[in-house]
Amino acid sequence: LNTRLLIIGAGGFGREVLAWARDVAAAAGAQAPWTIAGFLDANPRALDGLDVGVPIIGDARAYLPAADDRLICAIGDPSIKLRVCRELEARGARFATIIHPSALIGPHCTIGAGTIFCPRSVCTCDATIGKHVAVNILASIGHDAVVGDGCTLNGHSDVTGHAELGEGVFLGSHAVVMPGGKVGDYARIGAGSVVLRKAPPQTSVMGVPAKRIWSAA
Ligand SMILES: CC(C)(COP(=O)(O)OP(=O)(O)OC[C@H]1O[C@@H](n2cnc3c(N)ncnc32)[C@H](O)[C@@H]1OP(=O)(O)O)[C@@H](O)C(=O)NCCC(=O)NCCS
């Protein structure tokens, strides 16, 4: 098998994604879509002292992808993640989609390349999920929801039915977007916060109901 998987980012989430990718490969057996080659990270010492089993191969910013390489991005910050992924795509990179065997994906869901569904995450039905989205452990996406490119849905977060997230949205752990709620591009929703109707783009909102604390504009 010549197709290699490279994980961008050798931080904590990168090591989690390595574990989930190994589970995907084990479940697929002889049909595994790739072998895991290692990480791309600017810090060649990021894995020092850790027993990870695969190396840091290079720096994503300088990496020239081979035709058989498939990438997956494990950077949590949505704007950094999208910038790195788009630079790599401009150099011809192709991205894998990783869906853990314990994730539940219902009918008529569209999932973009480079998206990760972690263990026990859920996408019910008729949802549209963009590219380079991370759906972390136990997070759920309801019917007819739309999740834009580069969103990071942290553990236990809940995008309910007909909710819409723009590009690069960050949902903290246990954040909730109520049914039909709309979150603007690059908004950050605090851990445990509940968006009732709208969160403006490029703001951080938090609390129940979630209120704005800061705006980049
Ligand atoms: C929303 C968030 C991104 C804002 O980060 P920030 O802009 O750096 O904001 P700060 O941490 O400076 O906090 C600003 C204020 O909001 C409060 N606050 C922060 N997060 C809060 C939350 N989730 N709910 C309620 N209040 C919160 C802080 O206490 C602080 O109040 P103060 O100024 O009265 O002291 C961040 O607080 C958050 O919740 N991140 C989620 C992290 C997470 O779930 N990670 C999971 C992956 S490991």
Side-chain angles (χ1 to χ4, degrees):
L1 185 67
N2 293 326
T3 307
R4 308 189 314 162
L5 182 74
L6 292 94
I7 301 167
I8 304 165
F13 185 46
R15 284 180 281 118
E16 291 177 343
V17 170
L18 171 64
W20 314 149
R22 283 178 168 145
D23 290 346
V24 168
Q31 312 300 318
W34 23 251
T35 53
I36 303 167
F39 291 95
L40 298 178
D41 197 291
N43 175 10
R45 312 200 60 164
L47 299 173
D48 281 6
L50 295 163
D51 180 16
V52 172
V54 291
I56 294 175
I57 291 168
D59 180 353
R61 287 173 301 185
Y63 194 71
L64 290 176
D68 280 339
D69 288 347
R70 295 292 177 275
L71 282 80
I72 191 77
C73 189
I75 295 173
D77 181 284
S79 47
I80 299 172
K81 171 167 62 171
L82 276 177
R83 179 164 44 78
V84 169
C85 291
R86 286 171 175 168
E87 283 171 10
L88 279 157
E89 282 171 339
R91 296 201 290 274
R94 295 175 65 187
F95 280 79
T97 301
I98 294 196
I99 298 176
H100 192 268
S102 69
L104 196 161
I105 311 289
H108 312 302
C109 293
T110 309
I111 298 172
T115 285
I116 310 167
F117 276 86
C118 295
R120 309 269 174 110
S121 58
V122 175
C123 187
T124 63
C125 70
D126 304 290
T128 306
I129 316 302
K131 295 160 66 173
H132 312 303
V133 172
V135 186
N136 216 318
I137 52 165
L138 293 157
S140 63
I141 299 169
H143 62 85
D144 305 296
V146 178
V147 175
D149 290 348
C151 289
T152 294
L153 279 53
N154 282 296
H156 303 260
S157 59
D158 191 2
V159 178
T160 64
H162 286 289
E164 289 182 24
L165 309 188
E167 178 172 295
V169 168
F170 179 92
L171 295 189
S173 181
H174 288 269
V176 176
V177 182
M178 292 282 277
K182 289 187 172 42
V183 180
D185 295 348
Y186 296 95
R188 298 192 301 166
I189 314 303
S193 303
V194 178
V195 174
L196 293 186
R197 280 178 287 278
K198 280 192 173 175
Q202 299 195 329
T203 53
S204 291
V205 297
M206 58 187 67
V208 183
K211 299 250 169 62
R212 182 197 290 218
I213 58 150
W214 174 81
S215 170

